[in-house]
C-alpha cells in the first residue's frame, strides 16, 4: 500500500515523541508499505516564531513571515528523518521546493495548485520513507508560502491525491471525530465513518480536527481520510463519500463554537442596495461575515443582524456604525456573548422536521434562539454564550447520539 | 556601488540588533548603493539546533543535519527583511535554492561550485535590498547543504565574486585584523591592509576572523574584502592583493592556536612507504594532520612527529599505535599540552633571516621550540601550551608590531 500519514505538532512535540513516530513508521515500513509522512512543526514552535516576528513589528510582512514560519516544519521533518536513519531505515526529508508543492501567492493562506510528483516518486522507488515538511509550498516565483493554521492536513491530503495513495491517515491528539465534544457530553461516541460533506460542515462550524481545505481536497479527489490518535492504537474516524447507510442516520454530530459575535443594525430603510452598502465596507476590511438575517420589512423599515469573528468585532462594529449613519439606519447594537450550536447530518436531506425537532428541544430546555441558519445538511442556532454547553447536551440526547442508546 | 555585506551571528543576535542592522542598511540604501546582505543565524541558534540533533542521536545523518541547520539562517534572513520592510524599505529574503547557490554534496562542509545570479540581479534591478541566508547551498540534486562553521563569510565573498560587486564587507564583532590578539598584546595594532595570502595563513593558523575558504575565493576572484565592526563606525581591515608597500613589512602579524596535539612515533624503521602506512589510516579516519616532521635517519631508524586537532587526539593516538605495531616502530608518545605560535608576512619572501630572528627571540625568553614548520610567508613553532601567551608577546615586540613603535 502507498500510505500518506500526517503527524500534528503534539505528535512531534519533543525528541522522545519524534522517536515514537519513527518507531511507528518503522513498523509500517516493515509491513511493506510505501510511506509519505507529512509533519507539522513541533508543538509551540510556530507560536515561538510568530512571537519573534511580532517582537520585530506589529505588522510583519506576509512573505517574510512565511519564510520564517516554514522553518518550523523544515526542522521537524529533518529531525524525524534523522531518527529513522539512526534506526537504520532509509528516509529522506523534503521541504516544499523539493517536494514541488506549488501554491498561489496568498502568503499565510496559500492554496495548493499542483504537486509535481517526480522527485517524490523517485524517492519512494529507491525505497525511502519520504518525510515532507507540511504547511508550506512555493509559488510560481519560487517564493515560500504557508497554507494557514492546520495547513499540514491539506499538505497530506493533497499529496495523497497527487500520488493516488491508498489512504491518507491523519494522526492527531484526539481519537477521531465524535458525536459531540467529549468534554461536554461524557457519553459522546466516536463516529466510525463520516461523509466529506458532514466533515466539511463540522470543520467550518469550528471542529478543529481537520483543516476545511483538506476535506475539500479529499472530497474532490475522493481520498479516503482516516483521522486517528497518535497515542492510542485503535481505529479512528474514516472520512469518505456519502453512502446509503450514512443517509439513514438523521444527525451525525452536534457541534458548537464561541468564536463569533453578533451585530444588529436597527431601523434600516428597506431600499434596494442597502445590504451592499452595509456589507461592502466590512468585506473590504477583510472581515468574514458568517450568518446574515434580515427581518421582514414593516412600513419600509427593517432590521439586519449578522455575525463576525470575535477578534474582528470592534472593527466591524465601527464600520457598521459608519455605514448605518450613511444609510440612515436608527442604531447599531453589538453582542459579544453569543455562541452557536449546530447539528450536522447527511440524513437530514431525506428527513423533514429535523430543524423543528431541534428548536423544540432547545425550547423545552428553556434556551432562547437568537438566530437560525440552515444548509442542506446542517442547522445552526445562535444562542446565549452561557447556554452553549447545556444546548450541546440537550441536542446530543434529543437526537440519540450517546454511547448508551 | 554594488556592495555585498555580511553580518555575523552576534550582529543579528537579538531582535534589537537586527533592527540596528536594518537601520545601517537603510542608510547605505539611501546613499544610493545596491545591497546584497548575507546573514548568519542568530547567535546561539546553530548551537541550539545542533543540540536538538544530538538529543536525537549521537550520529546525526549529515544530510538531515544540514536541513535542520539551514533553518537558522532562513529565520534571521526573514527577520531582517521584515525589519527593513517595516521601516518602509523594499527588501526580500532569499534562501539558497532561491539565490541559486550551488554546491557539491559534501554535507556539513560543502563547497560552492556556482551561483546563478539571474534572480539576485532581478531583485536588485527592482530596487530591492536582497537578504541572503548565509552558510547554505543546494547540490545538483536540489538537496540542502551547509558550508561549515564560518560559511556565511564564504557565501558573501562568493556572491560578491559572482555579482562582480565593488566590495564585500564582513561585519563582525571585532574591529578588524590585528597584529596580535589584543587580549594578549595590549599594544596590538589594527592592520589597515593585508594581503589575501597573509589572511589565508592567519585563517588557517587559527585566527577566527574569516573562514579560510572565503579568503581563497576572494583571492581567486580578486574580491576586495573589508573586515569591520558591526558595532563601531570605523574602518577595519582591507584584504586585498599583495602590493609593493606590504612587501616592505617583514612580519604583518603574530598568531597562535592551542587546538592541536602532538604525536611522536619513535624508532621507526626507515623504509620507503613507512610514512604512508602511518598516515593513510589516519587520513581515512577523517583526521587532518597539520605538521609532520621526520628526523634524519640514524642507523636505519627514525622518529616521526605530527600534530592533529585536539578533538581527534585520542582516536589518532590509537590509530598511530596500531600502525606503529605493524611497521615495527618502538613506541608512540602523545602530548596534548602544546601550542603553536606563528609569524606571518609577505615581506619574508624578500627578507632572509626572519626565521632565525624568531627562534632567537624565543630562545632569549627561555621558550623551548618543539617543532618548526615554514611556508614562504610564515614561520610556525610548536611550544609548550603554557608558554603561548608569552611567546606571542615576545614576538610581537621583537618584530616591532605594537602601536607605540
Amino acid at each position: 500500500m502507498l500510505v500518506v500519514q500526517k503527524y500534528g505538532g503534539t505528535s512531534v512535540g519533543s525528541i522522545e515523541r519524534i522517536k515514537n513516530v519513527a518507531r511507528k513508521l518503522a513498523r509500517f515500513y516493515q509491513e511493506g508499505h510505501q510511506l509519505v509522512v507529512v509533519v507539522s512543526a513541533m508543538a509551540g514552535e510556530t507560536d515561538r516564531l510568530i512571537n519573534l516576528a511580532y517582537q520585530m513589528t506589529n505588522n510583519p510582512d506576509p512573505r517574510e513571515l512565511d519564510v520564517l514560519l516554514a522553518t518550523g516544519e523544515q526542522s521537524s521533518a529533518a529531525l524525524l528523518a534523522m531518527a529513522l536513519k539512526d534506526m537504520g531505515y532509509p528516509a529522506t526529508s523534503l521541504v516544499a521546493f523539493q517536494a514541488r508543492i506549488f501554491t498561489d501567492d496568498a502568503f499565510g493562506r496559500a492554496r495548493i495548485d499542483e504537486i509535481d510528483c517526480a522527485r517524490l516518486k523517485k524517492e519512494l522507488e529507491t525505497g525511502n520513507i519520504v518525510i515532507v515538511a507540511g504547511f508550506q509550498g512555493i509559488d510560481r516565483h519560487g517564493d515560500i508560502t504557508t497554507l494557514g493554521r492546520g495547513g499540514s492536513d491539506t499538505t497530506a491530503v493533497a499529496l495523497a491525491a497527487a500520488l493516488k495513495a491508498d489512504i491518507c491517515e491523519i494522526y492527531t491528539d484526539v481519537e477521531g471525530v465524535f458525536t459531540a465534544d467529549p468534554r461536554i457530553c461524557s457519553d459522546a461516541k466516536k463516529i466510525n465513518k463520516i461523509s466529506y460533506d458532514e466533515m466539511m460542515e463540522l470543520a467550518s462550524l469550528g471542529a478543529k480536527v481537520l483543516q476545511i481545505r483538506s476535506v475539500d481536497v479529499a472530497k474532490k479527489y475522493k481520498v479516503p481520510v482516516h483521522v486517528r490518535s497518535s497515542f492510542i492504537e485503535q481505529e479512528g474516524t474514516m472520512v469518505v463519500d456519502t453512502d446509503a447507510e450514512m443517509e439513514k442516520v438523521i444527525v451525525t454530530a452536534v457541534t458548537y463554537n464561541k468564536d463569533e459575535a453578533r451585530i444588529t443594525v436597527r431601523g434600516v430603510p428597506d431600499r434596494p442596495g442597502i445590504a451592499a452598502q452595509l456589507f461592502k465596507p466590512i468585506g473590504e476590511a477583510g472581515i468574514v461575515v458568517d450568518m446574515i438575517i434580515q427581518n421582514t420589512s414593516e412600513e419600509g423599515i427593517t432590521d439586519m443582524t449578522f455575525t463576525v469573528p470575535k477578534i474582528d468585532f470592534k472593527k466591524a462594529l465601527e464600520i457598521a456604525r459608519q455605514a448605518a449613519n450613511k444609510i440612515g439606519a436608527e442604531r447599531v447594537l453589538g453582542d459579544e456573548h453569543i455562541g452557536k450550536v449546530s447539528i450536522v447530518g447527511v440524513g437530514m436531506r431525506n428527513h423533514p422536521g429535523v430543524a423543528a425537532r431541534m428548536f423544540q428541544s432547545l425550547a423545552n430546555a428553556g434556551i432562547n434562539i437568537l438566530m437560525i441558519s440552515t444548509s442542506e445538511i446542517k442547522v445552526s442556532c445562535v444562542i446565549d454564550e452561557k447556554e452553549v454547553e447545556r444546548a450541546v447536551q440537550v441536542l446530543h440526547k434529543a437526537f440519540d447520539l450517546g454511547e448508551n442508546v
Side-chain angles (χ1 to χ4, degrees), chain A:
Chain A
M1 276 216 304
L2 171 54
V3 182
V4 175
Q5 298 189 339
K6 179 252 172 177
Y7 292 88
T10 322
S11 311
V12 295
S14 66
I15 294 292
E16 211 33 68
R17 284 189 172 174
I18 293 175
K19 284 184 184 171
N20 276 336
V21 170
R23 283 188 278 267
K24 250 174 123 98
L25 296 176
R27 280 200 304 278
F28 282 113
Y29 186 79
Q30 281 175 327
E31 287 166 13
H33 300 307
Q34 286 189 308
L35 281 172
V36 173
V37 182
V38 175
V39 287
S40 299
M42 293 171 78
E45 178 65 2
T46 302
D47 288 334
R48 185 184 75 86
L49 293 168
I50 288 177
N51 188 36
L52 258 184
Y54 279 87
Q55 278 176 47
M56 180 66 75
T57 155
N58 287 324
N59 194 19
D61 180 80
R63 178 191 184 276
E64 303 304 336
L65 187 58
D66 279 4
V67 174
L68 183 67
L69 294 184
T71 63
E73 284 72 16
Q74 179 166 334
S75 296
S76 52
L79 287 167
L80 180 54
M82 227 178 252
L84 279 163
K85 287 176 177 176
D86 194 46
M87 289 161 60
Y89 292 89
T92 196
S93 70
L94 297 179
V95 296
F97 84 88
Q98 297 167 323
R100 315 304 287 164
I101 299 171
F102 296 99
T103 70
D104 61 20
D105 60 1
F107 298 112
R109 51 186 171 82
R111 293 169 70 106
I112 296 175
D113 285 335
E114 199 194 336
I115 298 176
D116 164 7
C117 295
R119 167 116 194 221
L120 284 158
K121 282 182 179 158
K122 209 195 75 195
E123 298 291 349
L124 287 171
E125 277 159 22
T126 62
N128 272 329
I129 301 173
V130 185
I131 316 293
V132 178
F135 176 66
Q136 59 192 269
I138 52 168
D139 69 13
R140 66 187 190 288
H141 302 109
D143 282 347
I144 295 168
T145 58
T146 69
L147 313 179
R149 284 267 164 182
S152 294
D153 294 338
T154 305
T155 305
V157 175
L159 282 171
L163 290 164
K164 298 184 175 40
D166 296 287
I167 192 163
C168 178
E169 299 186 314
I170 306 285
Y171 285 88
T172 174
D173 48 2
V174 298
E175 290 167 46
V177 182
F178 281 77
T179 51
D181 185 337
R183 286 166 303 181
I184 294 179
C185 297
S186 58
D187 67 339
K189 224 168 34 188
K190 189 173 68 197
I191 301 166
N192 293 323
K193 213 163 71 173
I194 195 169
S195 70
Y196 296 122
D197 290 330
E198 288 167 322
M199 194 64 230
M200 196 116 66
E201 286 287 1
L202 288 177
S204 54
L205 290 168
K208 293 188 176 68
V209 185
L210 282 178
Q211 199 196 28
I212 301 175
R213 277 282 300 149
S214 73
V215 188
D216 199 17
V217 175
K219 183 185 174 185
K220 189 165 168 193
Y221 296 99
K222 306 234 179 288
V223 178
V225 176
H226 190 178
V227 179
R228 57 195 306 186
S229 165
S230 336
F231 305 109
I232 297 168
E233 287 275 351
Q234 64 180 24
E235 302 282 302
T237 301
M238 284 296 304
V239 189
V240 290
D241 249 341
T242 309
D243 62 26
E245 201 166 332
M246 285 181 196
E247 295 192 331
K248 284 186 202 148
V249 182
I250 302 172
V251 170
T252 305
V254 181
T255 187
Y256 70 97
N257 83 59
K258 298 180 175 182
D259 304 332
E260 292 180 15
R262 180 173 61 142
I263 293 174
T264 304
V265 186
R266 284 230 195 279
V268 180
D270 196 2
R271 294 192 306 266
I274 284 289
Q277 274 183 279
L278 178 58
F279 292 108
K280 206 177 152 218
I282 290 176
E284 283 169 352
I287 298 170
V288 179
V289 173
D290 179 20
M291 293 163 76
I292 300 179
I293 284 173
Q294 180 176 343
N295 282 359
T296 314
S297 173
E298 265 179 56
E299 298 173 8
I301 296 288
T302 185
D303 293 345
M304 276 195 190
T305 305
F306 57 96
T307 62
V308 295
K310 244 173 211 171
I311 46 163
D312 294 325
F313 176 61
K314 287 212 166 59
K315 197 161 58 163
L317 199 61
E318 181 54 37
I319 295 171
R321 287 202 166 120
Q322 289 167 6
N325 249 337
K326 265 196 210 153
I327 60 183
E330 249 168 61
R331 61 196 165 120
V332 176
L333 305 169
D335 184 358
E336 278 186 280
H337 302 288
I338 59 159
K340 187 164 69 173
V341 62
S342 310
I343 55 173
V344 171
V346 286
M348 281 183 206
R349 287 182 193 136
N350 317 315
H351 294 80
V354 176
R357 201 161 131 204
M358 179 183 190
F359 305 151
Q360 190 59 56
S361 306
L362 292 175
N364 291 349
I367 296 168
N368 191 32
I369 298 171
L370 305 174
M371 296 170 80
I372 296 168
S373 98
T374 61
S375 82
E376 236 194 341
I377 63 165
K378 74 122 202 247
V379 185
S380 295
C381 296
V382 171
I383 59 175
D384 189 315
E385 192 180 39
K386 286 194 297 288
E387 304 280 21
V388 166
E389 279 78 7
R390 205 158 57 87
V392 170
Q393 289 160 352
V394 162
L395 295 172
H396 197 253
K397 198 166 185 331
F399 289 98
D400 299 331
L401 298 177
E403 286 273 17
N404 311 313
V405 174

